[in-house]
Amino acid sequence: DIALPVVDTELALYAEHTFGHAESVSRPWTEGVHAIALRKRAHAAVALQAVEVLWDKVAAKLGAGVPRAGRPLRFLAVNPFDRPLAGPASLPVGHWEFNERELDRGARLVEEASGREIPCRLEAAPLGGAFCAWLDLAPGEKRVLELRPDRDAARRLDVPQPPPPPHPLAEGGETILATPHVRIDAAPGEGVTRWLAADGRDLLRADRPRGAFTPVAEVTPLPDADAACAARGAMGLDRRGPDAWLAAGSASALSPDTGGAVFREASLRFDLPGAEDCVLTLRAWLDAPRVDAALRLHKLSRREPESLYAALPFGIGGAALWLDKAGAAVRPRVDQLPGTLTDFYAVQAGFALCGPGFGLALAMPDGHLLQLGPLAPGERLLMGDPRLAADPAHAYAWLMNNFWETNFAADLAGFHEFRFAVCWGAGLAEPEAALAACRDLCAEIRCLRLDA
Protein backbone atom coordinates (compact mmCIF):
# COMPACT_ATOMS: atom_id res chain seq x y z
CA ASP A 1 0.00 0.00 0.00
CA ILE A 2 1.28 3.46 -0.88
CA ALA A 3 0.65 4.69 2.66
CA LEU A 4 3.22 2.33 4.20
CA PRO A 5 6.36 3.98 2.75
CA VAL A 6 4.83 7.35 3.64
CA VAL A 7 4.55 6.27 7.29
CA ASP A 8 8.11 4.90 7.34
CA THR A 9 9.61 8.00 5.73
CA GLU A 10 7.73 10.55 7.80
CA LEU A 11 8.40 8.79 11.10
CA ALA A 12 12.10 8.46 10.22
CA LEU A 13 12.28 12.19 9.51
CA TYR A 14 10.43 12.96 12.73
CA ALA A 15 12.77 10.75 14.79
CA GLU A 16 15.94 12.06 13.10
CA HIS A 17 18.54 13.55 15.46
CA THR A 18 17.78 17.24 14.92
CA PHE A 19 14.41 17.78 16.55
CA GLY A 20 14.80 21.52 16.92
CA HIS A 21 16.94 24.42 15.78
CA ALA A 22 20.41 24.84 17.30
CA GLU A 23 19.19 28.13 18.82
CA SER A 24 16.05 26.71 20.40
CA VAL A 25 17.56 27.38 23.85
CA SER A 26 19.74 30.42 23.20
CA ARG A 27 17.29 32.30 20.90
CA PRO A 28 13.92 30.54 21.16
CA TRP A 29 12.00 33.48 19.68
CA THR A 30 13.57 33.33 16.20
CA GLU A 31 11.72 32.37 13.02
CA GLY A 32 14.03 29.44 12.29
CA VAL A 33 13.35 27.87 15.68
CA HIS A 34 9.60 28.01 15.16
CA ALA A 35 9.83 26.83 11.54
CA ILE A 36 11.81 23.69 12.35
CA ALA A 37 9.53 22.85 15.29
CA LEU A 38 6.49 23.13 13.02
CA ARG A 39 8.17 21.04 10.34
CA LYS A 40 8.88 18.26 12.84
CA ARG A 41 5.27 18.22 13.96
CA ALA A 42 4.20 18.18 10.31
CA HIS A 43 6.14 14.94 9.76
CA ALA A 44 4.27 13.33 12.66
CA ALA A 45 0.93 14.67 11.40
CA VAL A 46 1.47 13.32 7.88
CA ALA A 47 2.46 9.91 9.29
CA LEU A 48 -0.64 9.85 11.49
CA GLN A 49 -2.85 10.72 8.53
CA ALA A 50 -1.30 7.88 6.50
CA VAL A 51 -1.94 5.44 9.36
CA GLU A 52 -5.57 6.57 9.55
CA VAL A 53 -5.94 6.01 5.79
CA LEU A 54 -4.62 2.47 6.22
CA TRP A 55 -7.01 1.85 9.11
CA ASP A 56 -9.97 3.15 7.09
CA LYS A 57 -9.10 0.72 4.28
CA VAL A 58 -8.82 -2.22 6.66
CA ALA A 59 -12.05 -1.22 8.41
CA ALA A 60 -13.90 -0.97 5.09
CA LYS A 61 -12.80 -4.49 4.14
CA LEU A 62 -14.10 -5.71 7.50
CA GLY A 63 -17.51 -4.16 6.85
CA ALA A 64 -17.27 -0.69 8.40
CA GLY A 65 -19.18 2.16 6.85
CA VAL A 66 -19.29 5.93 6.88
CA PRO A 67 -21.72 7.81 9.13
CA ARG A 68 -25.27 7.85 7.77
CA ALA A 69 -28.80 8.10 9.07
CA GLY A 70 -30.21 4.82 10.34
CA ARG A 71 -26.91 2.98 10.49
CA PRO A 72 -27.26 -0.05 12.80
CA LEU A 73 -25.67 0.11 16.22
CA ARG A 74 -23.56 -2.95 15.38
CA PHE A 75 -19.84 -3.12 16.09
CA LEU A 76 -17.11 -5.56 15.17
CA ALA A 77 -14.48 -6.21 17.85
CA VAL A 78 -11.25 -7.55 16.38
CA ASN A 79 -8.25 -9.35 17.83
CA PRO A 80 -5.61 -9.19 15.06
CA PHE A 81 -3.04 -11.21 17.01
CA ASP A 82 -2.23 -14.94 17.03
CA ARG A 83 -2.67 -15.02 20.80
CA PRO A 84 -5.62 -14.35 23.12
CA LEU A 85 -6.25 -10.69 23.97
CA ALA A 86 -8.29 -9.46 26.92
CA GLY A 87 -8.91 -5.85 27.79
CA PRO A 88 -11.17 -2.83 27.56
CA ALA A 89 -12.99 -1.91 24.38
CA SER A 90 -14.77 1.33 23.58
CA LEU A 91 -17.87 1.63 21.39
CA PRO A 92 -18.30 5.32 20.50
CA VAL A 93 -21.47 6.92 19.19
CA GLY A 94 -21.40 10.43 17.73
CA HIS A 95 -23.44 13.33 19.03
CA TRP A 96 -25.81 13.55 16.07
CA GLU A 97 -27.40 10.19 16.93
CA PHE A 98 -26.43 9.67 20.56
CA ASN A 99 -29.38 11.62 21.95
CA GLU A 100 -31.79 11.00 19.08
CA ARG A 101 -31.55 7.25 19.63
CA GLU A 102 -31.89 7.74 23.38
CA LEU A 103 -28.54 6.21 24.18
CA ASP A 104 -28.11 8.94 26.76
CA ARG A 105 -30.69 7.04 28.81
CA GLY A 106 -28.59 3.87 28.78
CA ALA A 107 -28.11 0.82 26.58
CA ARG A 108 -27.59 -2.92 26.66
CA LEU A 109 -24.59 -4.45 24.90
CA VAL A 110 -25.43 -7.83 23.36
CA GLU A 111 -23.16 -10.38 21.71
CA GLU A 112 -24.96 -11.10 18.46
CA ALA A 113 -24.00 -14.76 17.98
CA SER A 114 -25.04 -15.95 21.43
CA GLY A 115 -27.49 -13.29 22.57
CA ARG A 116 -25.43 -12.94 25.73
CA GLU A 117 -25.50 -9.53 27.40
CA ILE A 118 -22.10 -8.03 28.20
CA PRO A 119 -21.79 -5.50 31.02
CA CYS A 120 -20.97 -2.03 29.74
CA ARG A 121 -20.58 1.43 31.17
CA LEU A 122 -21.41 4.70 29.49
CA GLU A 123 -18.64 7.30 29.45
CA ALA A 124 -18.56 10.86 28.28
CA ALA A 125 -16.91 11.19 24.85
CA PRO A 126 -16.32 14.15 22.53
CA LEU A 127 -19.74 15.35 21.35
CA GLY A 128 -21.42 12.09 22.26
CA GLY A 129 -20.84 9.01 24.36
CA ALA A 130 -18.87 5.77 24.41
CA PHE A 131 -19.84 2.45 25.92
CA CYS A 132 -16.93 0.71 27.61
CA ALA A 133 -16.82 -3.08 28.01
CA TRP A 134 -14.27 -5.71 28.98
CA LEU A 135 -13.74 -8.29 26.22
CA ASP A 136 -11.80 -11.54 26.13
CA LEU A 137 -11.03 -12.51 22.53
CA ALA A 138 -9.48 -15.69 21.16
CA PRO A 139 -6.57 -15.47 18.68
CA GLY A 140 -7.81 -13.81 15.49
CA GLU A 141 -11.38 -13.64 16.79
CA LYS A 142 -13.93 -11.23 15.33
CA ARG A 143 -17.02 -10.66 17.47
CA VAL A 144 -20.14 -8.73 16.50
CA LEU A 145 -21.70 -6.64 19.28
CA GLU A 146 -24.93 -4.65 19.22
CA LEU A 147 -25.97 -1.67 21.32
CA ARG A 148 -29.66 -1.71 22.14
CA PRO A 149 -31.20 1.43 23.68
CA ASP A 150 -32.53 0.65 27.13
CA ARG A 151 -35.49 2.73 28.24
CA ASP A 152 -36.08 0.74 31.42
CA ALA A 153 -35.39 3.19 34.24
CA ALA A 154 -34.85 0.31 36.68
CA ARG A 155 -31.91 -0.92 34.64
CA ARG A 156 -30.20 2.42 34.13
CA LEU A 157 -27.42 1.90 36.64
CA ASP A 158 -24.54 2.97 34.42
CA VAL A 159 -25.70 6.25 32.99
CA PRO A 160 -22.99 8.76 33.96
CA GLN A 161 -23.90 10.65 37.08
CA PRO A 162 -22.57 14.11 37.91
CA PRO A 163 -19.26 13.46 39.66
CA PRO A 164 -19.18 14.39 43.32
CA PRO A 165 -16.99 17.37 44.12
CA PRO A 166 -13.41 16.53 45.09
CA HIS A 167 -12.82 16.31 48.82
CA PRO A 168 -9.59 16.56 50.82
CA LEU A 169 -7.86 13.25 51.41
CA ALA A 170 -8.50 11.94 54.90
CA GLU A 171 -5.69 12.48 57.39
CA GLY A 172 -3.94 9.17 57.85
CA GLY A 173 -5.10 7.95 54.43
CA GLU A 174 -8.12 6.20 52.98
CA THR A 175 -9.03 3.51 50.47
CA ILE A 176 -9.67 5.16 47.11
CA LEU A 177 -10.33 2.07 44.95
CA ALA A 178 -11.41 -1.48 45.73
CA THR A 179 -12.25 -4.42 43.45
CA PRO A 180 -12.03 -8.21 43.92
CA HIS A 181 -8.45 -7.94 42.59
CA VAL A 182 -6.95 -4.89 44.26
CA ARG A 183 -7.26 -2.32 47.01
CA ILE A 184 -5.52 1.02 46.59
CA ASP A 185 -4.98 3.43 49.47
CA ALA A 186 -3.80 7.03 49.36
CA ALA A 187 -2.77 9.66 51.88
CA PRO A 188 -2.37 13.45 51.84
CA GLY A 189 0.95 14.50 50.40
CA GLU A 190 2.35 11.11 49.39
CA GLY A 191 -0.52 10.00 47.16
CA VAL A 192 -0.85 6.24 46.53
CA THR A 193 0.60 4.48 49.56
CA ARG A 194 -0.68 0.92 49.26
CA TRP A 195 -1.47 -1.43 46.37
CA LEU A 196 -2.84 -4.66 47.81
CA ALA A 197 -3.34 -7.68 45.54
CA ALA A 198 -6.10 -10.20 46.21
CA ASP A 199 -3.71 -12.41 48.22
CA GLY A 200 -2.91 -9.49 50.54
CA ARG A 201 0.60 -8.72 49.29
CA ASP A 202 1.51 -5.07 48.84
CA LEU A 203 2.90 -4.48 45.34
CA LEU A 204 4.68 -1.27 46.39
CA ARG A 205 8.21 -1.26 47.77
CA ALA A 206 8.51 -0.70 51.49
CA ASP A 207 11.52 1.60 50.92
CA ARG A 208 9.77 3.73 48.29
CA PRO A 209 10.63 7.43 48.48
CA ARG A 210 7.32 8.44 46.84
CA GLY A 211 3.86 7.08 46.12
CA ALA A 212 2.90 5.29 42.91
CA PHE A 213 2.72 7.63 39.89
CA THR A 214 3.51 10.68 42.01
CA PRO A 215 4.83 13.39 39.64
CA VAL A 216 8.26 14.82 40.39
CA ALA A 217 9.60 18.10 38.97
CA GLU A 218 13.32 18.75 38.67
CA VAL A 219 14.83 22.17 37.83
CA THR A 220 18.39 23.46 37.54
CA PRO A 221 18.27 27.19 38.39
CA LEU A 222 19.87 29.76 36.10
CA PRO A 223 21.71 32.82 37.41
CA ASP A 224 20.32 34.69 34.40
CA ALA A 225 18.69 33.94 31.04
CA ASP A 226 22.00 34.24 29.19
CA ALA A 227 23.26 31.15 31.05
CA ALA A 228 20.63 28.84 29.52
CA CYS A 229 23.11 27.15 27.17
CA ALA A 230 26.10 27.21 29.51
CA ALA A 231 24.15 25.49 32.28
CA ARG A 232 23.16 22.66 29.95
CA GLY A 233 26.65 22.26 28.55
CA ALA A 234 28.13 21.91 32.03
CA MET A 235 25.82 19.09 33.16
CA GLY A 236 27.74 16.20 31.55
CA LEU A 237 26.55 12.70 32.41
CA ASP A 238 24.66 13.94 35.46
CA ARG A 239 21.93 15.61 33.34
CA ARG A 240 21.28 18.04 36.18
CA GLY A 241 23.22 20.89 37.74
CA PRO A 242 24.82 20.61 41.18
CA ASP A 243 22.21 23.04 42.53
CA ALA A 244 19.20 21.32 40.93
CA TRP A 245 16.12 21.05 43.11
CA LEU A 246 13.44 18.36 43.22
CA ALA A 247 9.80 18.84 44.13
CA ALA A 248 7.40 15.91 44.34
CA GLY A 249 3.73 16.57 43.73
CA SER A 250 1.66 16.73 46.89
CA ALA A 251 -1.65 14.85 46.79
CA SER A 252 -4.35 17.11 48.16
CA ALA A 253 -7.81 16.04 46.96
CA LEU A 254 -9.73 12.96 45.83
CA SER A 255 -12.51 12.59 43.28
CA PRO A 256 -14.12 9.25 44.21
CA ASP A 257 -15.79 6.75 41.91
CA THR A 258 -19.55 6.99 41.34
CA GLY A 259 -19.96 3.22 40.97
CA GLY A 260 -21.19 1.11 38.08
CA ALA A 261 -20.20 -1.82 35.92
CA VAL A 262 -16.89 -2.77 34.28
CA PHE A 263 -14.46 -0.66 36.35
CA ARG A 264 -13.89 1.52 39.40
CA GLU A 265 -12.19 4.89 38.95
CA ALA A 266 -10.81 7.59 41.21
CA SER A 267 -8.70 10.71 40.68
CA LEU A 268 -6.08 12.36 42.87
CA ARG A 269 -5.22 16.02 42.47
CA PHE A 270 -1.56 16.98 42.99
CA ASP A 271 0.00 20.35 43.72
CA LEU A 272 3.12 20.41 41.54
CA PRO A 273 5.50 23.36 41.01
CA GLY A 274 5.51 24.46 37.39
CA ALA A 275 2.19 22.81 36.53
CA GLU A 276 -1.51 23.49 36.81
CA ASP A 277 -4.38 21.00 37.03
CA CYS A 278 -2.15 18.03 37.76
CA VAL A 279 -4.42 15.00 38.16
CA LEU A 280 -3.74 11.26 38.43
CA THR A 281 -6.67 9.05 37.39
CA LEU A 282 -6.66 5.36 38.33
CA ARG A 283 -9.07 2.88 36.73
CA ALA A 284 -9.26 -0.61 38.25
CA TRP A 285 -11.03 -3.23 36.12
CA LEU A 286 -13.52 -5.57 37.70
CA ASP A 287 -12.77 -8.57 35.45
CA ALA A 288 -8.98 -8.75 35.84
CA PRO A 289 -6.07 -7.72 38.08
CA ARG A 290 -5.31 -4.64 36.02
CA VAL A 291 -5.18 -0.91 36.72
CA ASP A 292 -4.82 1.81 34.10
CA ALA A 293 -3.32 5.12 35.19
CA ALA A 294 -3.28 8.50 33.46
CA LEU A 295 -1.24 11.47 34.66
CA ARG A 296 -2.65 14.68 33.17
CA LEU A 297 -1.29 18.16 33.65
CA HIS A 298 -1.12 21.66 32.26
CA LYS A 299 2.61 22.35 32.10
CA LEU A 300 3.88 25.89 32.37
CA SER A 301 6.83 27.15 30.34
CA ARG A 302 10.26 27.76 31.82
CA ARG A 303 13.70 28.27 30.31
CA GLU A 304 15.75 26.51 32.96
CA PRO A 305 16.88 22.90 32.39
CA GLU A 306 14.03 20.80 33.75
CA SER A 307 12.63 17.29 33.85
CA LEU A 308 9.36 15.63 34.81
CA TYR A 309 9.26 12.16 36.33
CA ALA A 310 6.57 9.81 37.63
CA ALA A 311 7.44 7.47 40.49
CA LEU A 312 7.00 3.74 39.81
CA PRO A 313 7.77 2.18 43.20
CA PHE A 314 6.46 -1.31 42.47
CA GLY A 315 8.24 -4.25 44.04
CA ILE A 316 7.95 -7.99 44.57
CA GLY A 317 10.15 -9.85 47.02
CA GLY A 318 12.94 -11.74 45.25
CA ALA A 319 11.93 -10.40 41.82
CA ALA A 320 14.25 -9.52 38.95
CA LEU A 321 13.66 -6.44 36.83
CA TRP A 322 13.32 -7.09 33.09
CA LEU A 323 13.10 -4.43 30.36
CA ASP A 324 11.26 -4.81 27.08
CA LYS A 325 14.01 -3.63 24.75
CA ALA A 326 13.66 -3.63 20.96
CA GLY A 327 14.03 -7.31 20.12
CA ALA A 328 15.38 -8.49 23.47
CA ALA A 329 14.59 -8.96 27.14
CA VAL A 330 17.28 -7.25 29.23
CA ARG A 331 18.04 -7.06 32.96
CA PRO A 332 19.43 -3.60 33.67
CA ARG A 333 22.76 -3.54 35.52
CA VAL A 334 23.16 -7.23 34.69
CA ASP A 335 22.93 -7.80 30.94
CA GLN A 336 24.98 -4.81 29.80
CA LEU A 337 28.56 -3.99 28.89
CA PRO A 338 31.05 -2.74 31.50
CA GLY A 339 31.40 1.02 31.58
CA THR A 340 27.92 1.71 30.20
CA LEU A 341 25.36 4.03 31.76
CA THR A 342 23.14 2.66 34.51
CA ASP A 343 20.94 5.72 35.11
CA PHE A 344 18.25 5.44 32.45
CA TYR A 345 17.12 3.02 29.75
CA ALA A 346 14.94 3.21 26.67
CA VAL A 347 12.15 0.64 26.75
CA GLN A 348 9.74 -0.53 24.10
CA ALA A 349 6.45 -1.40 25.83
CA GLY A 350 7.53 -1.24 29.48
CA PHE A 351 9.13 -3.45 32.11
CA ALA A 352 8.37 -6.45 34.31
CA LEU A 353 9.16 -7.71 37.79
CA CYS A 354 9.43 -11.50 37.85
CA GLY A 355 9.78 -13.42 41.11
CA PRO A 356 9.10 -16.87 42.53
CA GLY A 357 5.59 -17.80 41.37
CA PHE A 358 4.46 -14.20 40.82
CA GLY A 359 5.11 -11.29 38.50
CA LEU A 360 4.04 -7.79 37.52
CA ALA A 361 4.02 -6.05 34.14
CA LEU A 362 3.95 -2.27 33.72
CA ALA A 363 3.34 -0.71 30.30
CA MET A 364 4.48 2.83 29.43
CA PRO A 365 2.90 3.67 26.05
CA ASP A 366 3.52 7.43 26.33
CA GLY A 367 6.97 7.51 27.93
CA HIS A 368 9.84 5.24 26.97
CA LEU A 369 12.61 6.24 29.33
CA LEU A 370 12.96 4.36 32.62
CA GLN A 371 15.12 6.14 35.23
CA LEU A 372 16.83 3.89 37.80
CA GLY A 373 19.68 6.10 38.98
CA PRO A 374 19.38 8.59 41.84
CA LEU A 375 17.62 11.87 41.11
CA ALA A 376 19.96 13.80 43.38
CA PRO A 377 22.95 15.53 41.72
CA GLY A 378 26.19 13.60 42.00
CA GLU A 379 28.59 11.21 40.32
CA ARG A 380 26.98 8.78 37.90
CA LEU A 381 27.86 5.14 38.44
CA LEU A 382 28.66 3.03 35.36
CA MET A 383 28.24 -0.69 34.85
CA GLY A 384 30.79 -2.62 36.86
CA ASP A 385 31.15 -0.04 39.62
CA PRO A 386 30.99 -1.96 42.95
CA ARG A 387 29.01 0.92 44.49
CA LEU A 388 26.01 -0.04 42.36
CA ALA A 389 25.32 -2.88 44.78
CA ALA A 390 24.24 -0.32 47.40
CA ASP A 391 22.06 1.72 45.03
CA PRO A 392 18.34 0.96 45.52
CA ALA A 393 17.49 1.57 41.82
CA HIS A 394 14.20 3.30 42.49
CA ALA A 395 12.19 3.35 39.25
CA TYR A 396 10.76 6.46 37.62
CA ALA A 397 9.27 7.13 34.23
CA TRP A 398 11.35 9.99 32.80
CA LEU A 399 8.55 11.74 30.95
CA MET A 400 9.90 15.13 29.86
CA ASN A 401 13.09 17.17 29.67
CA ASN A 402 14.36 20.17 27.73
CA PHE A 403 18.11 19.54 27.93
CA TRP A 404 19.52 18.97 24.45
CA GLU A 405 18.58 21.91 22.28
CA THR A 406 18.67 20.02 18.97
CA ASN A 407 17.01 16.84 20.26
CA PHE A 408 13.99 18.01 22.21
CA ALA A 409 11.70 20.99 22.36
CA ALA A 410 13.07 23.61 24.73
CA ASP A 411 9.53 24.62 25.64
CA LEU A 412 7.58 21.86 27.42
CA ALA A 413 4.49 23.95 28.08
CA GLY A 414 1.01 22.71 27.24
CA PHE A 415 -1.54 20.07 28.09
CA HIS A 416 -0.12 16.56 28.46
CA GLU A 417 -1.31 13.06 29.32
CA PHE A 418 0.94 10.14 30.19
CA ARG A 419 -0.68 6.71 30.38
CA PHE A 420 0.39 3.57 32.20
CA ALA A 421 -1.12 0.11 32.70
CA VAL A 422 -0.27 -2.44 35.40
CA CYS A 423 -1.22 -6.11 35.69
CA TRP A 424 0.03 -8.83 38.00
CA GLY A 425 -0.41 -12.49 38.95
CA ALA A 426 1.08 -15.97 39.05
CA GLY A 427 1.06 -16.22 35.25
CA LEU A 428 3.65 -13.44 34.98
CA ALA A 429 6.44 -15.11 36.95
CA GLU A 430 8.46 -15.77 33.78
CA PRO A 431 9.94 -12.82 31.86
CA GLU A 432 8.70 -14.02 28.47
CA ALA A 433 5.09 -14.04 29.68
CA ALA A 434 5.43 -10.80 31.65
CA LEU A 435 6.96 -8.81 28.79
CA ALA A 436 4.35 -10.20 26.40
CA ALA A 437 1.77 -8.87 28.85
CA CYS A 438 3.49 -5.46 28.64
CA ARG A 439 2.98 -5.44 24.89
CA ASP A 440 -0.64 -6.57 25.26
CA LEU A 441 -1.30 -3.75 27.72
CA CYS A 442 -0.25 -1.33 24.99
CA ALA A 443 -2.53 -3.00 22.43
CA GLU A 444 -6.07 -1.84 21.83
CA ILE A 445 -9.16 -3.88 21.06
CA ARG A 446 -10.57 -1.88 18.17
CA CYS A 447 -14.34 -1.83 17.69
CA LEU A 448 -15.43 -0.61 14.28
CA ARG A 449 -18.97 0.46 13.41
CA LEU A 450 -20.50 -1.89 10.84
CA ASP A 451 -22.38 -0.55 7.85
CA ALA A 452 -25.18 -3.11 8.03
Side-chain angles (χ1 to χ4, degrees):
D1 192 291
I2 192 172
L4 283 173
V6 171
V7 173
D8 291 342
T9 300
E10 296 297 330
L11 289 181
L13 289 170
Y14 177 78
E16 184 268 336
H17 169 74
T18 306
F19 184 90
H21 194 279
E23 293 184 327
S24 63
V25 169
S26 60
R27 291 162 51 85
W29 48 82
T30 60
E31 181 181 353
V33 170
H34 291 284
I36 289 183
L38 288 172
R39 182 61 181 171
K40 277 293 185 177
R41 287 169 173 79
H43 286 309
V46 172
L48 176 61
Q49 183 181 28
V51 169
E52 293 296 337
V53 168
L54 285 172
W55 167 247
D56 287 343
K57 291 180 178 179
V58 171
K61 289 182 179 180
L62 292 172
V66 298
R68 62 174 175 82
R71 187 165 53 145
L73 292 167
R74 297 175 71 239
F75 295 80
L76 181 68
V78 180
N79 176 9
F81 302 112
D82 59 359
R83 61 184 185 273
L85 184 63
S90 181
L91 290 71
V93 181
H95 73 286
W96 62 275
E97 60 180 342
F98 180 72
N99 293 317
E100 290 180 5
R101 302 180 79 160
E102 298 185 321
L103 293 175
D104 56 326
R105 299 177 58 188
R108 299 167 57 210
L109 181 61
V110 177
E111 184 180 86
E112 191 170 86
S114 65
R116 180 175 65 94
E117 185 171 342
I118 299 174
C120 67
R121 179 166 173 172
L122 177 57
E123 297 185 272
L127 303 177
F131 291 85
C132 180
W134 181 272
L135 300 181
D136 195 338
L137 302 179
E141 181 181 359
K142 302 181 183 69
R143 189 181 303 179
V144 177
L145 307 171
E146 182 183 2
L147 279 174
R148 298 177 182 175
D150 191 350
R151 300 174 180 85
D152 185 352
R155 294 172 51 90
R156 281 189 259 126
L157 302 177
D158 293 308
V159 176
Q161 303 297 320
H167 67 260
L169 277 166
E171 291 295 332
E174 61 182 291
T175 297
I176 62 171
L177 280 180
T179 75
H181 307 284
V182 67
R183 194 190 94 194
I184 298 176
D185 295 347
E190 187 176 358
V192 176
T193 57
R194 188 173 296 171
W195 195 293
L196 295 179
D199 61 3
R201 76 176 75 198
D202 192 347
L203 300 182
L204 301 184
R205 293 174 56 159
D207 66 341
R208 65 184 180 277
R210 296 171 180 91
F213 303 110
T214 293
V216 181
E218 176 188 80
V219 176
T220 296
L222 297 178
D224 55 70
D226 292 335
C229 290
R232 287 165 169 81
M235 289 193 298
L237 288 179
D238 199 356
R239 311 320 313 161
R240 54 187 58 81
D243 54 348
W245 55 263
L246 284 173
S250 178
S252 57
L254 167 69
S255 296
D257 186 57
T258 56
V262 187
F263 60 82
R264 296 286 180 268
E265 184 175 273
S267 296
L268 290 174
R269 183 170 298 277
F270 284 86
D271 300 318
L272 181 69
E276 295 180 345
D277 301 324
C278 184
V279 174
L280 171 68
T281 297
L282 299 172
R283 176 174 291 187
W285 300 94
L286 297 179
D287 284 349
R290 168 174 168 173
V291 173
D292 291 356
L295 182 63
R296 306 181 180 108
L297 70 154
H298 180 194
K299 178 76 178 62
L300 303 180
S301 177
R302 65 190 320 150
R303 206 169 172 192
E304 300 95 329
E306 64 170 334
S307 288
L308 177 70
Y309 304 91
L312 305 174
F314 292 91
I316 298 171
L321 174 63
W322 291 85
L323 309 183
D324 181 38
K325 299 290 286 184
V330 173
R331 291 169 296 175
R333 304 184 177 183
V334 178
D335 304 323
Q336 60 182 102
L337 295 173
T340 52
L341 188 67
T342 63
D343 261 38
F344 56 88
Y345 302 81
V347 297
Q348 196 81 355
F351 66 88
L353 296 167
C354 300
F358 197 89
L360 178 146
L362 193 149
M364 304 163 57
D366 298 322
H368 299 277
L369 276 180
L370 181 67
Q371 171 80 18
L372 294 180
L375 298 186
E379 181 185 359
R380 300 295 102 179
L381 303 181
L382 303 181
M383 183 62 189
D385 193 311
R387 291 173 292 176
L388 280 174
D391 183 76
H394 291 297
Y396 294 85
W398 191 358
L399 300 175
M400 305 176 78
N401 76 67
N402 65 351
F403 294 164
W404 297 280
E405 58 186 6
T406 56
N407 294 74
F408 300 100
D411 182 6
L412 304 180
F415 295 92
H416 302 281
E417 178 184 64
F418 301 99
R419 296 167 298 162
F420 306 87
V422 190
C423 66
W424 57 90
L428 304 181
E430 298 299 324
E432 181 178 352
L435 294 179
C438 272
R439 294 186 283 273
D440 286 347
L441 289 171
C442 292
E444 179 182 359
I445 297 178
R446 298 293 293 266
C447 292
L448 56 96
R449 183 82 175 269
L450 294 173
D451 193 49

